[in-house]
Amino acid sequence: LDGEVGALYKFTADGTPLAFTGSNPNIEGNKLTGLSETEGIRQVAVDSASHRIYVTEKSAIRSFEADGEPANFSAGPGAGTNAIPGFEQASGVAVDVNGAIYASDITSGTVSIYAPTGALLTSFAISGPRNVAIASGGAVYVATNSQGIRKFIPSEFPLTGATTYLANPFIPPSATFPRIGVHPL
């Protein structure tokens, strides 16, 4: 993903360019253009079952089929479009094993979870959320500006509109990502 030019590139596992096969006019071989140009925080997620691609833009999460065609949402704030709007600064996106979409907004301090249709399921607050990742059992890992990585456990999984999250204690960056080759003084 190149936020400075507003493009998403597709490659095979060995780095060979892989063409998008759709007829979207924004497809140029392995390059999908037309995304908003943004410097800063950007993230891409791919649903392992549907292969749908989700991309953060400044104020939205955009959705595309694997062939590069827009993947429209059928419910929620982006119904009929391929964008979930309403973010002040979308900073992270991830997809769980059931296709639920997790999106963080660094400015508003929230992580919102949407059904694959685009309908809002639930959300929780956290200061300065950046990137997000989801474990197979539904635990949400959030990289933050000032708190390192935080782990949130859902009250139930798969998620519903009644799901709540319990924050685990702070995980210091040094405990999560040890610095190899650096010895303490």
Side-chain angles (χ1 to χ4, degrees), residues 20 29 46 60-62 97 108 111 114 118 133 142 145 149 152 155 167 182:
F20 288 101
V46 178
I61 302 297
R62 297 273 303 271
V97 297
S108 71
V111 173
Y114 299 87
V142 183
N145 276 341
I149 297 173
F152 293 83
S155 60
V182 177

Side-chain angles (χ1 to χ4, degrees), residues 45-52 95-99:
V46 178
D47 183 317
S48 62
S50 69
H51 304 283
R52 190 167 280 179
V95 181
D96 72 19
V97 297
N98 300 306

Side-chain angles (χ1 to χ4, degrees), residues 162-182:
T163 303
T164 59
Y165 283 86
L166 174 65
N168 274 5
F170 164 71
I171 302 171
S174 61
T176 308
F177 304 107
R179 295 177 64 189
I180 298 171
V182 177

Side-chain angles (χ1 to χ4, degrees), residues 84-113:
I84 298 174
F87 296 88
E88 292 179 50
Q89 175 61 64
S91 51
V93 65
V95 181
D96 72 19
V97 297
N98 300 306
I101 306 156
Y102 299 68
S104 60
D105 187 327
I106 194 167
T107 304
S108 71
T110 57
V111 173
S112 299
I113 301 103

